[in-house]
Amino acid sequence: MIEENIKIHDRYKFEIKFNYPIKNKKTKYEINSYLFFPKTLGVGEFFNQNNFYESVQSYIRFKTPTVLLKDITAPDGIINILRKNFESLVRDFDKKKKKEYENSIKLYGVIAKSSLREHVELIIKKDNLKDIEFLINEYIIHSQNILEEYRKLRYIITVPTIKDETFSIYKYGNEYLSLLFNKYNYKLLEHIKNIEPVNKKFRNKLLELVKKETNYRKENNLKITVNENGDNSLFLYRASNLKKYISSLLFLNTRTNKADTLITQLVYGFAAGLSMIFATFVAFKSQQYFGNFTTPLFVALVISYIFKDRIKDLVKLWFNAKFRKRIFDYKTIIKHDDKKIGLVSERAVFMETDSLDEEIKKARIPKKFSLVQNGAKGEDIIFYQKKVKIFNSAVNENLNGVKIDGINDIIRFNVNDYLKNMDNPTKKIYLFKNNDYFVIKAKRIYHINLVMVYKDEKKNKVLKKFRIVLNRKGIVDIIDLNIKENSVNN
């Protein structure tokens, strides 16, 4: 089934990453997202499809292959794929082998990042001291192995046949790994500083890793480093570009087009034709009755022109009300190496509470006091749907020798448009204490409630709930409301 991860991306964006597992010949998924906004934000007044899609960014890529930290440099690990591609390039240089060499460096980088992240996240989740100490010790051993084994490969390509431009690809990978490992060294140092026995045992060891890597960067002329007295904009810029370069291996080519344009245009054409028939009929009849160039004829023509536009608009409104929820706004073709591997259809519509399924109503307001939870004015609802088809026969292949088992769909929602009608982020309130009163500040917040329903081709269904907490300055928090995952087989 679909897996999701939701997090704050920055002050104005939250990110949902969906993982679509690759199964049989063809895999189908459906994601129905219901966004509930307080009516005081006025979302219903300015919502339209164009505004909504402008606030949504979407990226589709292969899921990073899952590899344990210790297995990256194992005898049958990814390091051996890397070594073989280096040796093959030196033996017989050509464009194809150069591409394999470059892709294997990128693959090593993305797997190292994923393995480091998962290993460190596991350390952070643990509360057993022995488990934490074991995992940090593993981290220290294997992180150094990953760096050292990669750096040994330098001498394979230090030969006259490898030009500077090709050699620089290795250097980009090396610089990326250097920044990556120090990032997680610092993250661990931050985490353990409040765990006294662990901090005492590992703080100096982790600082030694940071020192060693910092010195390595200086010795190898990796000049973009953190400057205590500077704004460090160049550091962030360089780190961001390296990350994009290494991650580019996984990103898929997409082409997005308007969906069902023909049906919409035919209906709109019918509306225009119907309104024209009315206007022409009124003109003919008025001319017969009132004659040419008379004041009554002039008035009749003006009235017919007014009603002509209204008829056209009414037909469009009727069509949008009846059929817009069944017609997709956009279709995106997913390609890899010029081969079509999937299709994503999406639509966004404004909904009324009465048109919600009972399941969604109960998920949104599961308890009493719904008037208080909704606010006196109620809520505005945006329904955002995605239907995904993955052609597995086209995807079930190796990426430089590593099997692909899923596709990630990353969606970033920008909430900036929803902040303009919010009140100031703080308000003065009063506290009575010790027979006196005090003025204190309270934080004013708003909630966007998100209910998502996932379905697969077997009609398995999973419902998830989240709450995005905001104030006028942006996103404050994201709360997972799923105490227990509800799975239902229809």
Side-chain angles (χ1 to χ4, degrees), residues 119-305:
H119 193 94
V120 171
E121 284 176 356
L122 181 61
I123 293 171
I124 292 169
K125 287 177 185 175
K126 290 291 182 182
D127 52 15
N128 182 287
L129 289 180
K130 287 187 177 179
D131 286 348
I132 295 171
E133 289 178 1
F134 168 77
L135 288 168
I136 293 177
N137 198 54
E138 288 281 291
Y139 169 87
I140 291 170
I141 293 168
H142 297 300
S143 64
Q144 290 308 288
N145 286 345
I146 292 166
L147 281 172
E148 288 168 7
E149 291 300 317
Y150 180 84
R151 286 166 180 169
K152 287 178 184 177
L153 300 177
R154 178 188 188 100
Y155 301 106
I156 297 175
I157 55 171
T158 306
V159 293
T161 55
I162 302 300
K163 305 302 179 186
D164 287 346
E165 185 262 336
T166 304
F167 193 84
S168 65
I169 296 170
Y170 162 83
K171 290 166 72 175
Y172 295 148
N174 188 33
E175 187 176 1
Y176 172 78
L177 290 172
S178 175
L179 293 171
L180 179 70
F181 279 90
N182 257 359
K183 170 187 171 180
Y184 283 101
N185 290 336
Y186 285 124
K187 191 166 186 175
L188 276 179
L189 283 163
E190 280 288 296
H191 176 65
I192 66 171
K193 68 182 181 183
N194 296 319
I195 311 172
E196 183 55 37
V198 178
N199 192 48
K200 186 176 180 181
K201 185 172 182 178
F202 288 104
R203 177 179 168 79
N204 288 337
K205 290 182 180 179
L206 289 169
L207 284 172
E208 189 58 36
L209 293 184
V210 173
K211 180 181 176 182
K212 180 181 176 183
E213 200 54 39
T214 303
N215 289 337
Y216 177 87
R217 293 179 64 79
K218 290 177 181 176
E219 291 165 6
N220 287 272
N221 203 29
L222 303 178
K223 294 179 180 178
I224 306 298
T225 57
V226 176
N227 186 341
E228 184 179 357
N229 300 313
D231 64 5
N232 291 299
S233 57
L234 287 177
F235 175 83
L236 287 179
Y237 180 77
R238 179 71 172 180
S240 176
N241 283 344
L242 285 168
K243 178 184 174 183
K244 289 173 185 174
Y245 172 71
I246 296 295
S247 301
S248 65
L249 174 72
L250 299 176
F251 280 85
L252 296 164
N253 296 321
T254 58
R255 190 178 78 244
T256 301
N257 297 308
K258 280 272 191 180
D260 296 311
T261 304
L262 179 61
I263 295 173
T264 303
Q265 293 308 317
L266 284 173
V267 172
Y268 286 4
F270 171 76
L274 186 65
S275 65
M276 191 62 196
I277 289 170
F278 170 80
T280 306
F281 176 79
V282 171
F284 284 166
K285 285 295 181 183
S286 299
Q287 197 170 25
Q288 285 178 351
Y289 191 78
F290 297 115
N292 294 327
F293 308 111
T294 62
T295 301
L297 175 63
F298 174 76
V299 173
L301 289 175
V302 171
I303 292 172
S304 73
Y305 181 81

Side-chain angles (χ1 to χ4, degrees), residues 300-355:
L301 289 175
V302 171
I303 292 172
S304 73
Y305 181 81
I306 293 169
F307 277 97
K308 176 179 79 75
D309 283 352
R310 298 288 68 78
I311 289 170
K312 184 165 65 174
D313 290 341
L314 283 170
V315 173
K316 287 182 179 181
L317 285 171
W318 173 83
F319 170 75
N320 286 331
K322 290 289 184 183
F323 301 105
R324 176 54 64 189
K325 293 176 185 177
R326 299 184 181 91
I327 294 177
F328 287 96
D329 301 318
Y330 293 98
K331 288 190 177 179
T332 300
I333 296 170
I334 310 170
K335 287 188 172 184
H336 177 57
D337 290 339
D338 293 326
K339 185 164 56 175
K340 184 177 176 180
I341 65 170
L343 180 68
V344 178
S345 304
E346 56 188 331
R347 62 183 168 195
V349 295
F350 190 79
M351 293 187 74
E352 299 294 336
T353 305
D354 293 342
S355 61

